Amino acid sequence: YQVRGEFILARHMNDIEFQSSQAVCPNWRVRCNVGAAVITKNWNIQLKSEWYTDQVMVNGRIWKKGRDYHINHRTRLDSTTELQINRYYFYVFFNDLKVGDGAYAHGVFRHWGHPLPRHLYMDLYFKAPGRWSSGLSMTGLFANYDNNRYDDWEAIAPSTMWWVKDTKSSAFKNPKYLLTWDNRIVKNAAQKKASKGAGSANIRKADATALRMNDDGHETPLHAMDWTHEDEEQALKEVDPLTAAMRKRLFDKMAKDHVIERTKGEEQPTTGLAAAELDIMPYVEMRPDHLRIEQQMLFRKEWKFLTPAEKTGMLAGKVESSNAAGMKHMCEECVRGTQACTDKKIVEKPKADGITFKSKEEMDACHKACIPWIEGKPCGQAVCKCRIDCSLDVKKDICTKTAVTNYITFRTAAYIPGKGSIDLRCKSLKSSQAARFKGTKAGKTDLWKQEYAPNFAISFWWKMDKGETYKKPGTKLLLYKGPDKLDEGEAVPVKIEIEANAVSIESDGTIKGDPSMKLTVAGVEFTVGADKVASYLKSEKFNFYALTKKDKNIAFWVGTGEEAKKHALGDIGNAVYKTSTEHDLYLVGTKNEGTAAYIDMEKEPERIPGGVMGKLKYVGCDKWDPEGKEPLWDRQIPKQVALRKPDCPTS
């Protein structure tokens, strides 16, 4: 891009962003990348020509070669992000915990000359995984790549959407800039003011910061163009509605071309947008039919966080979801060359439809690798995708891990999501029944049924409020899962409480005494001693907590944003854990007198825990690997911890 400034090259929703800083090259007609920044929810990673590969800035702190990282070594930053710096190039790998390959930002340092820092510039690349190829979630200047430098200015102006220099969205100006749900680029007064440095009127005062191609084929500096700031602002007013209209028309056309919303059994068209599916190139562990399943599930997940107005605007009132038919037949299978392939209409060419195994032995081995203990149960997509991978010679252990990840994803309900408005993602626990999540909620009922969810994990982040939490000694009820009313003799299914009967606030504000945790599963009570949890319960920062059940075994997890320690509590013996769609999950008990976990706010204020809870997840899981070879919560809970604390206000 032949304009000096800082730009967003690529961005996928609020997951990952790639920014570039440019300067004048030794050839004054060309602009060179002298800075690169990769930003995620947790990391702001910057590389610059002046540093070469000797150092890198991470979240505002300088990392030095040999001390904080090593050449040719891949450094894991968290569960989604890895950094690798080699002698003259770098990679930042990102995978959002879906299946298959992830994205990466890549840069190569090149030698040239003055006035570049250390005579170096960078070639920058961004590779997105196939599941992001719907065209609805990827943004940035790379979308304009057409090997034509003369139309670069049009990608930046009149719309200055991707200009970030001197704005709060600049990773270079703010080395602690991270991605959150609400910091997407928007056009506002500050954005326009900052981006005027890129405007043609200012460019006329500089030494040819951009070029244009005349009708006669000759290049002239852009400052010769007749373009004013008034023209710029008028164009801005026209661009935004046009962009919105383009998206609406795209969805409308997708529906009309039967790319989405095909009825069951309807043939896929061979022309128009629907035919483009045939052109999607396979990626690692993926092929086009696998990719379509992944896109459907990704869209459904993101759909939950859109407001009604956003849904209406996005779909123009004509498309309600992305549920292209055909998934069921994709999962039919046979051994190559057998009559079953003919009977089930399974083909490999011209486009694969169904799963074909090379032999009966291979089919049996793949079935064994693809979590066979849940076969026939809800979440068969996890098994289906696993068998597709396995039939394509993906290693069996990778198939198993991917299937488990998919299964747990399907079986997880984010009752307090990590995205959305503050009132959605940050729940205050100042009153009884601060929130109620119903087992009858559409799309989540299988997570509550006894036959599908005898095991569970309940995890959340909680931060106490010193003035509220320990103002009065008592047992504070954080969470109750069970029926509104218990029958006579019926055991409490799940209850999580803080035991703080001997805890109080001193006059100087210090907390006297150490709280512990009291946990109830199937009527059996367990205690996690103060020596294990008091430091977390008394902390004014968010900490992670999780209660898990696997068969009869109960465990409790507690930790910071780095890791959580598991405390095995024993088993429930002959007690029977019961779950049902008639059960609900309550924060701070119930508010109606006579109910199972009723708290009288006037008579029992000491039962209110106070503080803030975020990222509450409930996983309803089937009976697990009877052979005991495949880990369940020992593998899944650390992944949840690695996603870090919720994005909630500090006060």
Side-chain angles (χ1 to χ4, degrees):
Y1 289 88
Q2 311 311 318
V3 182
R4 286 178 296 189
E6 297 167 4
F7 313 104
I8 295 177
L9 298 180
R11 176 164 177 161
H12 181 255
M13 305 183 69
N14 63 323
D15 293 327
I16 184 171
E17 182 173 296
F18 194 22
Q19 294 187 11
S20 164
S21 175
Q22 295 192 333
V24 176
C25 297
N27 176 351
W28 64 271
R29 299 187 176 200
V30 185
R31 301 296 164 260
C32 288
N33 298 306
V34 293
V38 183
I39 311 98
T40 69
K41 293 182 179 70
N42 299 324
W43 304 102
N44 180 315
I45 305 164
Q46 295 187 35
L47 297 105
K48 297 183 178 181
S49 295
E50 63 189 271
W51 299 335
Y52 194 33
T53 56
D54 298 330
Q55 61 186 44
V56 58
M57 181 181 287
V58 179
N59 289 351
R61 187 174 73 87
I62 294 295
W63 284 17
K64 292 188 177 294
K65 179 175 65 177
R67 184 189 70 185
D68 301 296
Y69 64 91
H70 299 278
I71 294 297
N72 299 327
H73 177 72
R74 193 158 165 165
T75 302
R76 187 176 180 83
L77 302 179
D78 62 19
S79 63
T80 65
T81 312
E82 296 181 73
L83 170 66
Q84 180 175 334
I85 299 179
N86 290 22
R87 189 169 62 86
Y88 58 89
Y89 60 89
F90 69 87
Y91 283 96
V92 177
F93 300 94
F94 176 85
N95 197 316
D96 51 1
L97 298 184
K98 305 293 185 214
V99 301
D101 56 340
Y104 64 72
H106 172 47
V108 182
F109 289 95
R110 307 286 190 187
H111 287 272
W112 197 348
H114 180 78
L116 298 175
R118 294 181 67 164
H119 295 179
L120 295 171
Y121 70 96
M122 287 182 270
D123 288 338
L124 299 177
Y125 308 85
F126 187 86
K127 180 248 183 190
R131 61 178 173 275
W132 295 354
S133 67
S134 64
L136 306 176
S137 56
M138 285 296 301
T139 53
L141 281 181
F142 272 153
N144 183 54
Y145 176 74
D146 58 2
N147 205 28
N148 177 10
R149 65 190 176 113
Y150 301 110
D151 66 357
D152 289 351
W153 177 251
E154 296 174 8
I156 304 168
S159 171
T160 56
M161 183 68 87
W162 314 123
W163 174 280
V164 295
K165 186 176 181 180
D166 296 326
T167 75
K168 64 180 182 180
S169 300
S170 168
F172 303 100
K173 179 180 180 181
N174 177 15
K176 294 188 178 181
Y177 164 76
L178 300 174
L179 299 186
T180 64
W181 180 252
D182 54 2
N183 74 348
R184 298 183 181 187
I185 303 300
V186 295
K187 292 192 183 75
N188 53 31
Q191 177 86 12
K192 291 180 182 179
K193 181 178 179 180
S195 61
K196 282 185 177 179
S200 302
N202 281 353
I203 284 177
R204 283 200 289 267
K205 301 174 185 177
D207 290 332
T209 54
L211 301 170
R212 68 183 294 256
M213 179 73 77
N214 291 334
D215 293 337
D216 60 3
H218 291 86
E219 301 172 0
T220 59
L222 192 61
H223 55 61
M225 292 179 65
D226 184 16
W227 184 266
T228 67
H229 282 309
E230 288 73 23
D231 295 327
E232 178 95 358
E233 294 200 5
Q234 180 59 36
L236 279 169
K237 295 176 183 178
E238 297 171 357
V239 166
D240 282 348
L242 178 61
T243 303
M246 286 173 61
R247 174 161 288 195
K248 290 179 181 179
R249 288 199 298 271
L250 172 62
F251 271 97
D252 192 18
K253 184 169 177 56
M254 288 171 73
K256 288 180 179 178
D257 281 8
H258 295 208
V259 179
I260 54 179
E261 292 298 310
R262 290 200 297 273
T263 59
K264 186 175 182 179
E266 184 178 354
E267 293 292 329
Q268 176 185 319
T270 56
T271 59
L273 284 176
E277 289 186 325
L278 299 172
D279 298 328
I280 299 175
M281 295 299 292
Y283 286 79
V284 177
E285 301 177 28
M286 287 186 175
R287 70 184 195 186
D289 54 355
H290 190 168
L291 181 59
R292 288 197 296 278
I293 297 175
E294 193 66 39
Q295 287 177 336
Q296 291 171 42
M297 292 187 296
L298 178 62
F299 187 85
R300 287 173 187 153
K301 179 178 179 181
E302 296 300 332
W303 179 259
K304 294 186 298 184
F305 300 106
L306 300 177
T307 65
E310 288 173 328
K311 291 179 181 180
T312 301
M314 180 177 285
L315 302 180
K318 296 186 178 182
V319 182
E320 296 180 356
S321 65
S322 179
N323 62 354
M327 184 183 296
K328 183 176 180 181
H329 192 263
M330 292 178 198
C331 302
E332 293 284 352
E333 56 186 22
C334 67
V335 175
R336 183 178 295 150
T338 63
Q339 184 62 35
C341 296
T342 302
D343 295 342
K344 296 179 181 180
K345 298 182 180 180
I346 297 173
V347 297
E348 296 182 76
K349 296 179 180 180
K351 183 184 70 172
D353 191 0
I355 307 171
T356 306
F357 295 99
K358 298 182 180 69
S359 66
K360 179 64 166 58
E361 292 73 22
E362 182 194 44
M363 176 186 283
D364 292 342
C366 288
H367 282 200
K368 187 175 181 180
C370 294
I371 50 177
W373 54 88
I374 68 157
E375 185 175 4
K377 301 288 183 70
C379 304
Q381 298 100 319
V383 175
C384 171
K385 295 202 300 180
C386 176
R387 291 180 180 178
I388 290 176
D389 285 344
C390 192
S391 70
L392 296 174
D393 299 324
V394 175
K395 293 181 179 179
K396 302 294 189 294
D397 61 332
I398 294 177
C399 290
T400 301
K401 290 178 182 178
T402 300
V404 171
T405 297
N406 278 319
Y407 174 76
I408 295 298
T409 299
F410 298 143
R411 305 295 299 175
T412 300
Y415 287 124
I416 302 181
K419 303 176 181 179
S421 60
I422 292 178
D423 62 322
L424 286 177
R425 66 178 191 264
C426 308
K427 292 293 182 183
S428 174
L429 307 187
K430 295 182 179 180
S431 63
S432 60
Q433 198 168 313
R436 179 183 183 182
F437 307 103
K438 295 188 175 183
T440 55
K441 183 178 180 181
K444 300 297 180 184
T445 54
D446 286 337
L447 279 63
W448 293 75
K449 294 179 179 178
Q450 188 75 37
E451 63 268 36
Y452 300 144
N455 293 318
F456 69 81
I458 299 174
S459 64
F460 57 88
W461 293 77
W462 179 69
K463 176 180 66 173
M464 70 96 177
D465 184 308
K466 188 187 300 182
E468 299 173 350
T469 305
Y470 301 116
K471 184 177 181 179
K472 293 187 177 182
T475 301
K476 291 78 171 58
L477 178 55
L478 282 171
L479 181 149
Y480 166 73
K481 177 185 178 292
D484 187 48
K485 294 184 179 180
L486 291 167
D487 294 333
E488 186 176 350
E490 185 178 1
V492 172
V494 178
K495 191 182 287 187
I496 301 177
E497 299 170 288
I498 300 173
E499 185 64 71
N501 289 311
V503 181
S504 60
I505 301 292
E506 297 287 82
S507 59
D508 62 357
T510 59
I511 301 174
K512 180 182 179 181
D514 291 327
S516 58
M517 295 295 297
K518 181 181 177 182
L519 312 165
T520 304
V521 179
V524 181
E525 293 185 357
F526 301 89
T527 298
V528 184
D531 59 320
K532 298 179 176 66
V533 296
S535 62
Y536 301 100
L537 294 173
K538 293 164 67 174
S539 170
E540 294 186 85
K541 297 181 179 180
F542 273 105
N543 287 295
F544 176 86
Y545 304 88
L547 174 64
T548 62
K549 175 184 178 292
K550 181 179 180 293
D551 301 327
K552 291 182 175 292
N553 300 308
I554 309 301
F556 188 72
W557 309 67
V558 61
T560 64
E562 300 297 330
E563 61 180 356
K565 183 174 178 58
K566 176 184 177 182
H567 301 286
L569 303 180
D571 62 60
I572 59 175
N574 294 324
V576 178
Y577 166 72
K578 292 184 179 180
T579 181
S580 164
T581 55
E582 299 304 314
H583 292 189
D584 297 330
L585 194 155
Y586 300 85
L587 300 186
V588 201
T590 56
K591 63 181 179 181
N592 297 322
E593 189 172 359
T595 49
Y598 172 60
I599 293 180
D600 189 321
M601 288 283 290
E602 294 184 2
K603 297 180 180 180
E604 304 175 291
E606 73 279 1
R607 297 273 284 150
I608 306 299
V612 178
M613 182 181 289
K615 289 192 174 181
L616 169 65
K617 292 186 177 181
Y618 166 69
V619 185
C621 183
D622 207 336
K623 293 179 181 178
W624 204 243
D625 183 6
E627 297 182 5
K629 295 180 180 180
E630 186 59 34
L632 180 55
W633 306 128
D634 286 348
R635 177 174 291 166
Q636 301 306 318
I637 296 300
K639 290 183 179 180
Q640 294 187 11
V641 182
L643 295 177
R644 299 299 180 93
K645 65 182 182 180
D647 180 18
C648 293
T650 56
S651 60

